[in-house]
Amino acid sequence: MRTYRELFRTPEFTPLFLTSAVQGAGYTVSGLALGTLVYSATGSPLLSALAMFGPALVQVIGAATLLSAADRLPPRAALTGLALVFGMVTAAQAVPGLAVWAVFALLLGQGLIASLGGGVRYGLLNEILTREGYLLGRSMFNMSDGAVQICGYALGGVLVAVLSPRGALLTGAALYLTAAAVARFGLSRRPPRAAGRPSITDTWRDNARLWSARPRRYVYLAMWVPNGLIVGCESLFVPYAPEQAGLLFACAALGMLAGDVVAGRFVPPRLRERLRVPLCLLLALPYLIFILRPALPVAVAAIVLASAGYAASLLLQERLMALTPEELSGHALGLHSSGMVTMQGVSAALAGAVAQLTSPATAITVLAAASVTVTLTLAPGLRHPRDAAARESVHA
């Protein structure tokens, strides 16, 4: 499978793609609205960052307790149910007079069940496509994420200005409900990928099996930590430039889109391994200029360039799939997704705390420097593949 046209000719790829895209639009519109709403109510960079990225903090709990369900639930029912719950939670957050603590309580509940989403979605993608087509398909999803974020943050900014943050939240809820309808009526009924009922014991056992091999540990850490720290930088866009935050988020999405197009479509297989570490470094290095508190045009250029480095995740996911047997694909991808967004939530909290004590520009610089340090530390373990040994340890 070499072209995007072939992807959309594959049965069920299109409805799965549309479900993900519409749900992503709901997330971006409602996230910007909620961050703006909380910042207006509290004036706190920390709470604003947590409103946008805090739900990710509890995904580690979901990864430790619920993740076995990613391969043990029927995919169509799981995707439909998750989108419905997200829509209801988002609508509840728009209730006038809702206390800030209640907003965060709803966010934490949403974050807990969201830990299943990545595993179900990308496990189904891995099932629909051949192993050789997974990179191209995941690239298409990443490109969609970038395009949806560009449009979603732009739309969110307009809706916040025209309708108010609560009106934007209701729009996000409507998008989630649309995603539920697309999943229910566009996907076919499929059995679970693994037998048995979901349980905490199965989740712990499979997590331990996936974590047991050193090559996979390096891949997981490389997908989680450098990426998460840079999302922490992005969580400060609202306090850094309140009037232009939507523009900064859209520019980050544009850079991510460009990076994924190049990595997914044009980088030959022989170069992918060599580009993993440089792309992780690219994620962070441009943000170091924020120590100078650059003007808006310079900040925009740095953000676009840095965000192209998110393509590292695409290449690392291909590596993860090479190290993982089919029956654990959903769980492995769910562990990646939950760990990544958990680290993003931790980094958002850390960024908000540092910004509270110093300034948003200083906090952005500190997290970018930390991302560079982590990437250089992990680099040796990413340059020596041991696929066969890793696969054997999973089956042990």
Side-chain angles (χ1 to χ4, degrees):
M1 188 172 291
R2 292 178 173 271
T3 68
Y4 294 121
R5 182 176 296 178
E6 290 179 86
L7 281 177
F8 286 99
R9 289 175 178 168
T10 303
E12 294 194 83
F13 178 84
T14 298
L16 180 60
F17 173 80
L18 290 175
T19 299
S20 178
V22 176
Q23 188 164 314
Y27 177 82
T28 53
V29 169
S30 59
L32 180 60
L34 198 60
T36 304
L37 187 67
V38 170
Y39 188 64
S40 298
T42 66
S44 169
L46 173 59
L47 292 179
S48 174
L50 288 176
M52 295 189 69
F53 299 98
L57 286 169
V58 298
Q59 288 215 24
V60 67
I61 301 174
T65 58
L66 304 176
L67 202 49
S68 65
D71 291 306
R72 291 174 172 85
L73 290 177
R76 183 180 70 178
L79 290 174
T80 303
L82 286 170
L84 284 172
V85 172
F86 293 161
M88 290 186 291
V89 169
T90 303
Q93 290 165 343
V95 173
L98 189 66
V100 172
W101 68 263
V103 169
F104 279 99
L106 289 169
L107 279 175
L108 293 179
Q110 181 178 339
L112 182 64
I113 63 169
S115 59
L116 286 177
V120 175
R121 182 181 306 112
Y122 298 122
L124 179 57
L125 177 66
N126 193 56
E127 190 175 347
I128 289 171
L129 302 177
T130 63
R131 186 174 288 271
E132 293 74 21
Y134 178 80
L135 177 66
L136 190 65
R138 192 65 178 88
S139 166
M140 191 67 231
F141 271 71
N142 284 7
M143 289 163 54
S144 169
D145 288 344
V148 164
Q149 287 181 40
I150 292 171
C151 298
Y153 282 124
L155 175 62
V158 171
L159 291 173
V160 166
V162 175
L163 298 181
S164 81
R166 287 189 173 85
L169 281 171
L170 291 175
T171 303
L175 288 167
Y176 279 128
L177 297 179
T178 302
V182 173
R184 174 61 182 82
F185 298 107
L187 296 172
S188 65
R189 184 177 181 180
R190 287 172 177 260
R193 285 179 292 275
R197 298 177 62 182
S199 70
I200 295 176
T201 300
D202 287 337
T203 299
W204 289 351
R205 184 185 64 244
D206 290 345
N207 282 344
R209 291 168 66 192
L210 289 166
W211 192 253
S212 62
R214 189 168 179 264
R216 274 195 306 277
R217 288 198 297 272
Y218 272 96
V219 171
Y220 273 126
L221 290 172
M223 289 192 293
W224 293 344
V225 185
N227 175 302
L229 289 167
I230 298 309
V231 171
C233 296
E234 295 177 2
S235 73
L236 295 174
F237 287 171
V238 171
Y240 180 81
E243 301 298 324
Q244 288 84 32
L247 172 64
L248 297 184
F249 280 117
C251 289
L254 177 63
M256 182 177 70
L257 173 62
D260 283 334
V261 169
V262 173
R265 182 67 178 86
F266 299 109
V267 175
R270 66 180 183 276
L271 293 180
R272 289 172 188 162
E273 182 180 343
R274 299 179 186 178
L275 288 177
R276 293 170 191 151
V277 172
L279 285 173
C280 284
L281 290 173
L282 180 62
L283 258 178
L285 288 172
Y287 277 103
L288 296 178
I289 199 172
F290 276 75
I291 192 63
L292 303 176
R293 291 172 173 79
L296 184 63
V298 177
V300 164
I303 289 168
V304 171
L305 179 61
S307 298
Y310 279 120
S313 177
L314 187 64
L315 304 186
L316 288 165
Q317 283 181 62
E318 181 186 37
R319 169 97 171 108
L320 178 64
M321 287 294 93
L323 296 169
T324 305
E326 278 307 318
E327 67 271 15
L328 282 179
S329 62
H331 194 116
L333 291 165
L335 183 60
H336 149 58
S337 179
S338 295
M340 180 181 68
V341 297
T342 297
M343 188 61 204
Q344 291 172 357
V346 170
S347 297
L350 176 62
V354 175
Q356 198 94 358
L357 296 173
T358 57
S359 70
T362 300
I364 288 172
T365 307
V366 169
L367 266 68
S371 181
V372 170
T373 302
V374 171
T375 295
L376 293 176
T377 302
L378 294 174
L382 298 173
R383 291 172 178 153
H384 301 285
R386 300 180 181 88
D387 292 9
R391 281 177 176 271
E392 288 172 6
S393 70
V394 171
H395 286 288

PDB file of all heavy atoms in Angstrom, residues 44-80:
ATOM      1  N   SER A  44      -5.538  32.197  36.308  1.00  0.00           N
ATOM      2  CA  SER A  44      -4.416  31.317  36.657  1.00  0.00           C
ATOM      3  C   SER A  44      -3.889  30.580  35.430  1.00  0.00           C
ATOM      4  O   SER A  44      -4.618  29.809  34.804  1.00  0.00           O
ATOM      5  CB  SER A  44      -4.869  30.292  37.695  1.00  0.00           C
ATOM      6  OG  SER A  44      -3.894  29.288  37.866  1.00  0.00           O
ATOM      7  N   PRO A  45      -2.594  30.755  35.072  1.00  0.00           N
ATOM      8  CA  PRO A  45      -2.011  29.972  33.983  1.00  0.00           C
ATOM      9  C   PRO A  45      -2.038  28.474  34.280  1.00  0.00           C
ATOM     10  O   PRO A  45      -2.222  27.658  33.377  1.00  0.00           O
ATOM     11  CB  PRO A  45      -0.571  30.491  33.895  1.00  0.00           C
ATOM     12  CG  PRO A  45      -0.595  31.836  34.533  1.00  0.00           C
ATOM     13  CD  PRO A  45      -1.639  31.764  35.600  1.00  0.00           C
ATOM     14  N   LEU A  46      -1.837  28.101  35.554  1.00  0.00           N
ATOM     15  CA  LEU A  46      -1.837  26.690  35.921  1.00  0.00           C
ATOM     16  C   LEU A  46      -3.206  26.059  35.665  1.00  0.00           C
ATOM     17  O   LEU A  46      -3.318  25.007  35.026  1.00  0.00           O
ATOM     18  CB  LEU A  46      -1.449  26.526  37.389  1.00  0.00           C
ATOM     19  CG  LEU A  46      -1.565  25.112  37.971  1.00  0.00           C
ATOM     20  CD1 LEU A  46      -0.694  24.147  37.200  1.00  0.00           C
ATOM     21  CD2 LEU A  46      -1.207  25.112  39.447  1.00  0.00           C
ATOM     22  N   LEU A  47      -4.275  26.694  36.137  1.00  0.00           N
ATOM     23  CA  LEU A  47      -5.611  26.131  35.950  1.00  0.00           C
ATOM     24  C   LEU A  47      -6.030  26.152  34.483  1.00  0.00           C
ATOM     25  O   LEU A  47      -6.726  25.248  34.017  1.00  0.00           O
ATOM     26  CB  LEU A  47      -6.623  26.887  36.810  1.00  0.00           C
ATOM     27  CG  LEU A  47      -6.473  26.696  38.325  1.00  0.00           C
ATOM     28  CD1 LEU A  47      -7.526  27.518  39.066  1.00  0.00           C
ATOM     29  CD2 LEU A  47      -6.571  25.228  38.706  1.00  0.00           C
ATOM     30  N   SER A  48      -5.611  27.172  33.753  1.00  0.00           N
ATOM     31  CA  SER A  48      -5.919  27.233  32.326  1.00  0.00           C
ATOM     32  C   SER A  48      -5.262  26.071  31.584  1.00  0.00           C
ATOM     33  O   SER A  48      -5.884  25.408  30.742  1.00  0.00           O
ATOM     34  CB  SER A  48      -5.454  28.564  31.739  1.00  0.00           C
ATOM     35  OG  SER A  48      -5.629  28.584  30.341  1.00  0.00           O
ATOM     36  N   ALA A  49      -3.983  25.806  31.905  1.00  0.00           N
ATOM     37  CA  ALA A  49      -3.275  24.689  31.269  1.00  0.00           C
ATOM     38  C   ALA A  49      -3.915  23.360  31.633  1.00  0.00           C
ATOM     39  O   ALA A  49      -4.085  22.472  30.790  1.00  0.00           O
ATOM     40  CB  ALA A  49      -1.806  24.700  31.682  1.00  0.00           C
ATOM     41  N   LEU A  50      -4.307  23.208  32.911  1.00  0.00           N
ATOM     42  CA  LEU A  50      -4.929  21.959  33.349  1.00  0.00           C
ATOM     43  C   LEU A  50      -6.312  21.769  32.734  1.00  0.00           C
ATOM     44  O   LEU A  50      -6.738  20.643  32.480  1.00  0.00           O
ATOM     45  CB  LEU A  50      -5.029  21.932  34.873  1.00  0.00           C
ATOM     46  CG  LEU A  50      -3.708  21.739  35.629  1.00  0.00           C
ATOM     47  CD1 LEU A  50      -3.941  21.828  37.127  1.00  0.00           C
ATOM     48  CD2 LEU A  50      -3.074  20.404  35.265  1.00  0.00           C
ATOM     49  N   ALA A  51      -7.020  22.871  32.478  1.00  0.00           N
ATOM     50  CA  ALA A  51      -8.337  22.753  31.856  1.00  0.00           C
ATOM     51  C   ALA A  51      -8.224  22.172  30.447  1.00  0.00           C
ATOM     52  O   ALA A  51      -9.098  21.423  30.001  1.00  0.00           O
ATOM     53  CB  ALA A  51      -9.018  24.118  31.806  1.00  0.00           C
ATOM     54  N   MET A  52      -7.147  22.502  29.742  1.00  0.00           N
ATOM     55  CA  MET A  52      -6.978  22.019  28.378  1.00  0.00           C
ATOM     56  C   MET A  52      -6.329  20.640  28.328  1.00  0.00           C
ATOM     57  O   MET A  52      -6.645  19.828  27.458  1.00  0.00           O
ATOM     58  CB  MET A  52      -6.140  23.014  27.568  1.00  0.00           C
ATOM     59  CG  MET A  52      -6.803  24.368  27.375  1.00  0.00           C
ATOM     60  SD  MET A  52      -5.929  25.427  26.212  1.00  0.00           S
ATOM     61  CE  MET A  52      -6.226  24.574  24.666  1.00  0.00           C
ATOM     62  N   PHE A  53      -5.397  20.368  29.239  1.00  0.00           N
ATOM     63  CA  PHE A  53      -4.618  19.138  29.138  1.00  0.00           C
ATOM     64  C   PHE A  53      -4.673  18.275  30.398  1.00  0.00           C
ATOM     65  O   PHE A  53      -4.133  17.179  30.411  1.00  0.00           O
ATOM     66  CB  PHE A  53      -3.151  19.480  28.828  1.00  0.00           C
ATOM     67  CG  PHE A  53      -2.970  20.219  27.529  1.00  0.00           C
ATOM     68  CD1 PHE A  53      -2.846  21.599  27.500  1.00  0.00           C
ATOM     69  CD2 PHE A  53      -2.957  19.538  26.333  1.00  0.00           C
ATOM     70  CE1 PHE A  53      -2.689  22.290  26.303  1.00  0.00           C
ATOM     71  CE2 PHE A  53      -2.806  20.220  25.130  1.00  0.00           C
ATOM     72  CZ  PHE A  53      -2.672  21.594  25.113  1.00  0.00           C
ATOM     73  N   GLY A  54      -5.323  18.761  31.449  1.00  0.00           N
ATOM     74  CA  GLY A  54      -5.368  18.040  32.703  1.00  0.00           C
ATOM     75  C   GLY A  54      -6.018  16.668  32.637  1.00  0.00           C
ATOM     76  O   GLY A  54      -5.594  15.759  33.362  1.00  0.00           O
ATOM     77  N   PRO A  55      -7.086  16.453  31.810  1.00  0.00           N
ATOM     78  CA  PRO A  55      -7.684  15.119  31.762  1.00  0.00           C
ATOM     79  C   PRO A  55      -6.677  14.018  31.446  1.00  0.00           C
ATOM     80  O   PRO A  55      -6.864  12.869  31.833  1.00  0.00           O
ATOM     81  CB  PRO A  55      -8.730  15.247  30.646  1.00  0.00           C
ATOM     82  CG  PRO A  55      -9.093  16.682  30.633  1.00  0.00           C
ATOM     83  CD  PRO A  55      -7.824  17.418  30.974  1.00  0.00           C
ATOM     84  N   ALA A  56      -5.599  14.390  30.753  1.00  0.00           N
ATOM     85  CA  ALA A  56      -4.582  13.395  30.432  1.00  0.00           C
ATOM     86  C   ALA A  56      -3.901  12.840  31.675  1.00  0.00           C
ATOM     87  O   ALA A  56      -3.372  11.728  31.660  1.00  0.00           O
ATOM     88  CB  ALA A  56      -3.524  14.030  29.507  1.00  0.00           C
ATOM     89  N   LEU A  57      -3.912  13.610  32.770  1.00  0.00           N
ATOM     90  CA  LEU A  57      -3.238  13.167  33.986  1.00  0.00           C
ATOM     91  C   LEU A  57      -3.818  11.861  34.519  1.00  0.00           C
ATOM     92  O   LEU A  57      -3.096  11.038  35.080  1.00  0.00           O
ATOM     93  CB  LEU A  57      -3.333  14.254  35.065  1.00  0.00           C
ATOM     94  CG  LEU A  57      -2.450  15.484  34.869  1.00  0.00           C
ATOM     95  CD1 LEU A  57      -2.839  16.567  35.853  1.00  0.00           C
ATOM     96  CD2 LEU A  57      -0.982  15.121  35.027  1.00  0.00           C
ATOM     97  N   VAL A  58      -5.128  11.670  34.371  1.00  0.00           N
ATOM     98  CA  VAL A  58      -5.747  10.467  34.930  1.00  0.00           C
ATOM     99  C   VAL A  58      -5.733   9.301  33.947  1.00  0.00           C
ATOM    100  O   VAL A  58      -6.179   8.204  34.302  1.00  0.00           O
ATOM    101  CB  VAL A  58      -7.189  10.753  35.389  1.00  0.00           C
ATOM    102  CG1 VAL A  58      -7.208  11.784  36.473  1.00  0.00           C
ATOM    103  CG2 VAL A  58      -8.065  11.189  34.227  1.00  0.00           C
ATOM    104  N   GLN A  59      -5.229   9.515  32.740  1.00  0.00           N
ATOM    105  CA  GLN A  59      -5.190   8.403  31.802  1.00  0.00           C
ATOM    106  C   GLN A  59      -4.254   7.298  32.265  1.00  0.00           C
ATOM    107  O   GLN A  59      -4.397   6.143  31.878  1.00  0.00           O
ATOM    108  CB  GLN A  59      -4.810   8.893  30.400  1.00  0.00           C
ATOM    109  CG  GLN A  59      -5.924   9.673  29.739  1.00  0.00           C
ATOM    110  CD  GLN A  59      -5.990   9.464  28.240  1.00  0.00           C
ATOM    111  OE1 GLN A  59      -5.531   8.465  27.716  1.00  0.00           O
ATOM    112  NE2 GLN A  59      -6.589  10.402  27.536  1.00  0.00           N
ATOM    113  N   VAL A  60      -3.279   7.654  33.104  1.00  0.00           N
ATOM    114  CA  VAL A  60      -2.403   6.615  33.644  1.00  0.00           C
ATOM    115  C   VAL A  60      -3.207   5.638  34.505  1.00  0.00           C
ATOM    116  O   VAL A  60      -2.904   4.447  34.561  1.00  0.00           O
ATOM    117  CB  VAL A  60      -1.242   7.247  34.442  1.00  0.00           C
ATOM    118  CG1 VAL A  60      -1.738   7.941  35.708  1.00  0.00           C
ATOM    119  CG2 VAL A  60      -0.186   6.194  34.786  1.00  0.00           C
ATOM    120  N   ILE A  61      -4.247   6.134  35.185  1.00  0.00           N
ATOM    121  CA  ILE A  61      -5.104   5.250  35.978  1.00  0.00           C
ATOM    122  C   ILE A  61      -5.890   4.328  35.049  1.00  0.00           C
ATOM    123  O   ILE A  61      -6.005   3.124  35.280  1.00  0.00           O
ATOM    124  CB  ILE A  61      -6.057   6.069  36.860  1.00  0.00           C
ATOM    125  CG1 ILE A  61      -5.263   6.978  37.804  1.00  0.00           C
ATOM    126  CG2 ILE A  61      -6.978   5.151  37.656  1.00  0.00           C
ATOM    127  CD1 ILE A  61      -6.128   7.924  38.608  1.00  0.00           C
ATOM    128  N   GLY A  62      -6.423   4.907  33.964  1.00  0.00           N
ATOM    129  CA  GLY A  62      -7.121   4.084  32.990  1.00  0.00           C
ATOM    130  C   GLY A  62      -6.209   3.059  32.345  1.00  0.00           C
ATOM    131  O   GLY A  62      -6.610   1.911  32.107  1.00  0.00           O
ATOM    132  N   ALA A  63      -4.963   3.450  32.057  1.00  0.00           N
ATOM    133  CA  ALA A  63      -4.011   2.515  31.455  1.00  0.00           C
ATOM    134  C   ALA A  63      -3.690   1.360  32.387  1.00  0.00           C
ATOM    135  O   ALA A  63      -3.371   0.257  31.943  1.00  0.00           O
ATOM    136  CB  ALA A  63      -2.732   3.253  31.072  1.00  0.00           C
ATOM    137  N   ALA A  64      -3.769   1.602  33.695  1.00  0.00           N
ATOM    138  CA  ALA A  64      -3.458   0.561  34.672  1.00  0.00           C
ATOM    139  C   ALA A  64      -4.652  -0.310  35.019  1.00  0.00           C
ATOM    140  O   ALA A  64      -4.478  -1.383  35.603  1.00  0.00           O
ATOM    141  CB  ALA A  64      -2.907   1.201  35.939  1.00  0.00           C
ATOM    142  N   THR A  65      -5.862   0.132  34.668  1.00  0.00           N
ATOM    143  CA  THR A  65      -7.054  -0.601  35.102  1.00  0.00           C
ATOM    144  C   THR A  65      -7.989  -1.005  33.972  1.00  0.00           C
ATOM    145  O   THR A  65      -8.654  -2.044  34.065  1.00  0.00           O
ATOM    146  CB  THR A  65      -7.853   0.248  36.115  1.00  0.00           C
ATOM    147  OG1 THR A  65      -8.205   1.505  35.505  1.00  0.00           O
ATOM    148  CG2 THR A  65      -7.031   0.516  37.366  1.00  0.00           C
ATOM    149  N   LEU A  66      -8.086  -0.200  32.920  1.00  0.00           N
ATOM    150  CA  LEU A  66      -9.109  -0.411  31.901  1.00  0.00           C
ATOM    151  C   LEU A  66      -8.582  -0.885  30.556  1.00  0.00           C
ATOM    152  O   LEU A  66      -9.363  -1.279  29.689  1.00  0.00           O
ATOM    153  CB  LEU A  66      -9.891   0.895  31.673  1.00  0.00           C
ATOM    154  CG  LEU A  66     -10.559   1.538  32.882  1.00  0.00           C
ATOM    155  CD1 LEU A  66     -11.193   2.864  32.474  1.00  0.00           C
ATOM    156  CD2 LEU A  66     -11.613   0.606  33.467  1.00  0.00           C
ATOM    157  N   LEU A  67      -7.270  -0.847  30.345  1.00  0.00           N
ATOM    158  CA  LEU A  67      -6.734  -0.949  28.994  1.00  0.00           C
ATOM    159  C   LEU A  67      -6.929  -2.327  28.369  1.00  0.00           C
ATOM    160  O   LEU A  67      -6.927  -2.451  27.142  1.00  0.00           O
ATOM    161  CB  LEU A  67      -5.247  -0.574  29.004  1.00  0.00           C
ATOM    162  CG  LEU A  67      -4.638  -0.122  27.684  1.00  0.00           C
ATOM    163  CD1 LEU A  67      -5.495   0.942  27.014  1.00  0.00           C
ATOM    164  CD2 LEU A  67      -3.225   0.386  27.902  1.00  0.00           C
ATOM    165  N   SER A  68      -7.103  -3.374  29.166  1.00  0.00           N
ATOM    166  CA  SER A  68      -7.345  -4.687  28.571  1.00  0.00           C
ATOM    167  C   SER A  68      -8.619  -4.684  27.725  1.00  0.00           C
ATOM    168  O   SER A  68      -8.789  -5.519  26.836  1.00  0.00           O
ATOM    169  CB  SER A  68      -7.435  -5.760  29.653  1.00  0.00           C
ATOM    170  OG  SER A  68      -8.559  -5.547  30.476  1.00  0.00           O
ATOM    171  N   ALA A  69      -9.528  -3.732  27.998  1.00  0.00           N
ATOM    172  CA  ALA A  69     -10.774  -3.647  27.228  1.00  0.00           C
ATOM    173  C   ALA A  69     -10.535  -3.240  25.778  1.00  0.00           C
ATOM    174  O   ALA A  69     -11.402  -3.463  24.921  1.00  0.00           O
ATOM    175  CB  ALA A  69     -11.726  -2.654  27.892  1.00  0.00           C
ATOM    176  N   ALA A  70      -9.376  -2.625  25.476  1.00  0.00           N
ATOM    177  CA  ALA A  70      -9.117  -2.160  24.104  1.00  0.00           C
ATOM    178  C   ALA A  70      -9.172  -3.291  23.098  1.00  0.00           C
ATOM    179  O   ALA A  70      -9.575  -3.088  21.950  1.00  0.00           O
ATOM    180  CB  ALA A  70      -7.761  -1.451  24.048  1.00  0.00           C
ATOM    181  N   ASP A  71      -8.761  -4.500  23.493  1.00  0.00           N
ATOM    182  CA  ASP A  71      -8.803  -5.657  22.600  1.00  0.00           C
ATOM    183  C   ASP A  71      -9.942  -6.609  22.929  1.00  0.00           C
ATOM    184  O   ASP A  71     -10.145  -7.591  22.229  1.00  0.00           O
ATOM    185  CB  ASP A  71      -7.471  -6.427  22.672  1.00  0.00           C
ATOM    186  CG  ASP A  71      -6.324  -5.646  22.059  1.00  0.00           C
ATOM    187  OD1 ASP A  71      -6.448  -5.220  20.901  1.00  0.00           O
ATOM    188  OD2 ASP A  71      -5.308  -5.445  22.742  1.00  0.00           O
ATOM    189  N   ARG A  72     -10.691  -6.343  24.000  1.00  0.00           N
ATOM    190  CA  ARG A  72     -11.718  -7.273  24.466  1.00  0.00           C
ATOM    191  C   ARG A  72     -13.138  -6.717  24.343  1.00  0.00           C
ATOM    192  O   ARG A  72     -14.087  -7.351  24.819  1.00  0.00           O
ATOM    193  CB  ARG A  72     -11.428  -7.683  25.911  1.00  0.00           C
ATOM    194  CG  ARG A  72     -10.180  -8.562  26.039  1.00  0.00           C
ATOM    195  CD  ARG A  72      -9.840  -8.839  27.499  1.00  0.00           C
ATOM    196  NE  ARG A  72      -8.780  -9.824  27.621  1.00  0.00           N
ATOM    197  CZ  ARG A  72      -7.480  -9.530  27.568  1.00  0.00           C
ATOM    198  NH1 ARG A  72      -7.105  -8.261  27.395  1.00  0.00           N
ATOM    199  NH2 ARG A  72      -6.580 -10.478  27.680  1.00  0.00           N
ATOM    200  N   LEU A  73     -13.310  -5.547  23.761  1.00  0.00           N
ATOM    201  CA  LEU A  73     -14.633  -4.986  23.493  1.00  0.00           C
ATOM    202  C   LEU A  73     -14.854  -4.900  21.986  1.00  0.00           C
ATOM    203  O   LEU A  73     -13.907  -4.667  21.230  1.00  0.00           O
ATOM    204  CB  LEU A  73     -14.755  -3.583  24.097  1.00  0.00           C
ATOM    205  CG  LEU A  73     -14.814  -3.463  25.620  1.00  0.00           C
ATOM    206  CD1 LEU A  73     -14.848  -1.995  26.022  1.00  0.00           C
ATOM    207  CD2 LEU A  73     -16.012  -4.207  26.183  1.00  0.00           C
ATOM    208  N   PRO A  74     -16.093  -5.053  21.520  1.00  0.00           N
ATOM    209  CA  PRO A  74     -16.362  -4.845  20.090  1.00  0.00           C
ATOM    210  C   PRO A  74     -16.006  -3.410  19.702  1.00  0.00           C
ATOM    211  O   PRO A  74     -16.477  -2.456  20.342  1.00  0.00           O
ATOM    212  CB  PRO A  74     -17.876  -5.089  19.981  1.00  0.00           C
ATOM    213  CG  PRO A  74     -18.227  -5.905  21.183  1.00  0.00           C
ATOM    214  CD  PRO A  74     -17.293  -5.468  22.269  1.00  0.00           C
ATOM    215  N   PRO A  75     -15.172  -3.207  18.697  1.00  0.00           N
ATOM    216  CA  PRO A  75     -14.670  -1.854  18.393  1.00  0.00           C
ATOM    217  C   PRO A  75     -15.763  -0.834  18.093  1.00  0.00           C
ATOM    218  O   PRO A  75     -15.695   0.293  18.564  1.00  0.00           O
ATOM    219  CB  PRO A  75     -13.760  -2.073  17.171  1.00  0.00           C
ATOM    220  CG  PRO A  75     -13.391  -3.512  17.227  1.00  0.00           C
ATOM    221  CD  PRO A  75     -14.553  -4.224  17.837  1.00  0.00           C
ATOM    222  N   ARG A  76     -16.781  -1.219  17.305  1.00  0.00           N
ATOM    223  CA  ARG A  76     -17.813  -0.246  16.943  1.00  0.00           C
ATOM    224  C   ARG A  76     -18.563   0.239  18.172  1.00  0.00           C
ATOM    225  O   ARG A  76     -18.789   1.443  18.351  1.00  0.00           O
ATOM    226  CB  ARG A  76     -18.788  -0.862  15.940  1.00  0.00           C
ATOM    227  CG  ARG A  76     -19.852   0.128  15.458  1.00  0.00           C
ATOM    228  CD  ARG A  76     -20.817  -0.490  14.472  1.00  0.00           C
ATOM    229  NE  ARG A  76     -21.697  -1.470  15.110  1.00  0.00           N
ATOM    230  CZ  ARG A  76     -22.670  -2.120  14.464  1.00  0.00           C
ATOM    231  NH1 ARG A  76     -22.855  -1.899  13.170  1.00  0.00           N
ATOM    232  NH2 ARG A  76     -23.429  -2.998  15.094  1.00  0.00           N
ATOM    233  N   ALA A  77     -18.954  -0.662  19.039  1.00  0.00           N
ATOM    234  CA  ALA A  77     -19.692  -0.273  20.243  1.00  0.00           C
ATOM    235  C   ALA A  77     -18.832   0.601  21.151  1.00  0.00           C
ATOM    236  O   ALA A  77     -19.328   1.580  21.733  1.00  0.00           O
ATOM    237  CB  ALA A  77     -20.155  -1.525  20.992  1.00  0.00           C
ATOM    238  N   ALA A  78     -17.551   0.266  21.275  1.00  0.00           N
ATOM    239  CA  ALA A  78     -16.672   1.035  22.149  1.00  0.00           C
ATOM    240  C   ALA A  78     -16.481   2.458  21.632  1.00  0.00           C
ATOM    241  O   ALA A  78     -16.570   3.433  22.396  1.00  0.00           O
ATOM    242  CB  ALA A  78     -15.323   0.337  22.278  1.00  0.00           C
ATOM    243  N   LEU A  79     -16.232   2.608  20.330  1.00  0.00           N
ATOM    244  CA  LEU A  79     -16.019   3.942  19.769  1.00  0.00           C
ATOM    245  C   LEU A  79     -17.287   4.788  19.855  1.00  0.00           C
ATOM    246  O   LEU A  79     -17.228   5.986  20.164  1.00  0.00           O
ATOM    247  CB  LEU A  79     -15.561   3.829  18.316  1.00  0.00           C
ATOM    248  CG  LEU A  79     -14.150   3.280  18.102  1.00  0.00           C
ATOM    249  CD1 LEU A  79     -13.870   3.068  16.618  1.00  0.00           C
ATOM    250  CD2 LEU A  79     -13.099   4.215  18.699  1.00  0.00           C
ATOM    251  N   THR A  80     -18.431   4.177  19.590  1.00  0.00           N
ATOM    252  CA  THR A  80     -19.700   4.909  19.676  1.00  0.00           C
ATOM    253  C   THR A  80     -19.970   5.363  21.103  1.00  0.00           C
ATOM    254  O   THR A  80     -20.332   6.529  21.350  1.00  0.00           O
ATOM    255  CB  THR A  80     -20.860   4.025  19.186  1.00  0.00           C
ATOM    256  OG1 THR A  80     -20.598   3.600  17.844  1.00  0.00           O
ATOM    257  CG2 THR A  80     -22.174   4.778  19.234  1.00  0.00           C
TER     258      THR A  80
END
